[in-house]
Amino acid sequence: MILKFDFSSSEPLYMQLRNQIVIGIGEGKLKPGEKLPTIRALAEESGINMMTVSKAYQLLKQEGYITTDRRSGACVAGKKTVEISETTLKALRISISELRLSGMKKDDILALCRSIYEEGETK
Amino acid sequence: MSKLILWLTVIWVPLLIGWQQLNEAKFKKNITVGVTLPPEAQTDAGVQIILDEFRRNTIIATAAVLALAGAAMLMESSYTVTIFMSWTLMAILIPMIPFVLANLRLKDYKKEKGWVQAHQTVFVDTASIENTRTLSPWLFVPPVFISLIPVIYDRDLTVMYLMMAMMCALGWFGYRYLYRNKAEMFNENTDITNALSRMRRYNWGKVWLLLSYAMSFTAAAMSVPAKYQMIAFIAMTVVMTALVAYTFHLEMKTRRIQQKLTADAKGDWYVDEDDHWLLGSFYYNPLDENLIVNNRTGMNTTINMAKPAGKVFMAISALAIIALPFIGLFIDRLGTQPIELTVNETELRTKTGMFHYEIALDDIKDTVLLEELPASLVRKMGTGTDRLLEGRFSSEQYSAMTLLADPTVSPYIIIETREGKIYMFNSRDPEVTRDIYSQLKK
């Protein structure tokens, strides 16, 4: 999986990493049980501070997307059973409102959601 | 003769630099003369004009450096080392000019054509991380031991052999820590990234391992008896020349493979880090936590000038390069400074510049006046210029001696102490030497 870090973005680097891994898992690019790079290796590879990578991994672990083990490092967790968080629902509401305000019809919004969802299924 | 040897050791270097510079005009990972361009730019007429001019200027610059060397060799002057060092400075700076000019022109052309990509973006391929195996540190242990063997039979230079052994061990640190373990990412093709990373790391390891073994060979060569020193010196020169030639071969081989693997690779995007490479050669990226970074092409590494340690390193390197003529001047002046010899009631003192040593008169066992230098005189540690020999030397007759002498002015005094230590010295004025000798004899 290719990770992309935009150093000029206002979005914090740990969030960029967290979001890309979540998208990667969601789209099937990262399979359950698949090993993730170690914090040190990912930091060295990207030039990002180890603390930043560690922060993203901790967040992913907290959210149940990855598991960490002293021996095998970080791995993609199995199917997530945790309920949808309030933050996710809020973000979805904001996105739908933004699309509605931009003039999109309900069917177009649902079609867009379907297409984004299916992107992950085809990969 | 020593002047000729001095020039022969370096005269071929500008040719290698010129060759390597010409290679910069070839596209490797979409990069030419330090500028990243899209694949279609490789056949662009405007790009070709800039690259042709760069090739022409590089050939002119190389010819100019060689011509300067020719002129310097023919110069009759007592400032041989100053001239040599000034030429070295020119040989470093002149080849940079065509590269910098071409880099700036091509960057402007890139902007003009709209080939500039989004800034400050870093790509990481998770499938390529930690994909290269590292050499075992045990491979570097034999040269360390080989370097220490002479300590058994040549105790006098123990410190030097210990330093050589340490340098052999440093080969592993150089291999491991002067390299950034980063995937050679060029586009989204993981197979190419992995192939490029493995090949580069493999060649990098070879260089450090060979350097380590070459150092141990040097230690062994330095420990041979004085009468075989010439053979040892020739063998050492052959080994070191072979190492330089092989390292250059590996650098060009790495570049050739980078060129081949990325020549026809097409993708949706390609890595462009031009923003962080000042003049195409100097890495400056405040957002990168690493101090050591790999050059984008070839197998060498460089430092991140945005880090405080990087700034200090660069400033010291720049000062060291600019200081070359002044170092030459200092060495030349060593040859003209007087060698002071004084004898008082208790000791003999010898001094030139900051070098000096004292011998208590009670310690002197024997004093000899030599009209000619001892046969097979070889420097082990210290200074050896046309007009000054200072430091630890060996000869056919004496395996270890401390010198402070002008080899061009006979005679020379040799002192043997009760502890068995040998000293040789003279004044630049033969009369002073004879006078000191007669005082010591009394």
Side-chain angles (χ1 to χ4, degrees), chain A residues 46-96:
Chain A
S46 58
I48 295 172
N49 195 306
M50 269 178 46
M51 297 297 285
T52 309
V53 180
S54 172
K55 196 173 172 183
Y57 274 29
Q58 273 174 15
L59 187 60
L60 286 162
K61 191 187 168 188
Q62 242 174 40
E63 294 172 334
Y65 293 110
I66 64 167
T67 56
T68 53
D69 186 276
R70 225 175 244 183
R71 281 186 186 171
S72 52
C75 292
V76 176
K79 202 135 184 124
K80 199 169 178 280
T81 50
V82 186
E83 281 185 18
I84 304 299
S85 73
E86 200 52 49
T87 326
T88 309
L89 279 175
K90 195 176 165 189
L92 187 62
R93 277 201 188 94
I94 294 169
S95 299
I96 290 171

Side-chain angles (χ1 to χ4, degrees), chain B residues 34 86 102 121 131 158 183 210 218 241-242 314 321 348-349 351 393 400 413 439:
Chain B
S86 304
T121 306
N131 229 331
T158 302
L210 286 173
T218 306
T241 310
M314 262 297 163
I321 291 170
L348 159 80
R349 282 183 187 170
K351 184 178 183 294
F393 286 71
I413 299 170
Q439 284 185 54

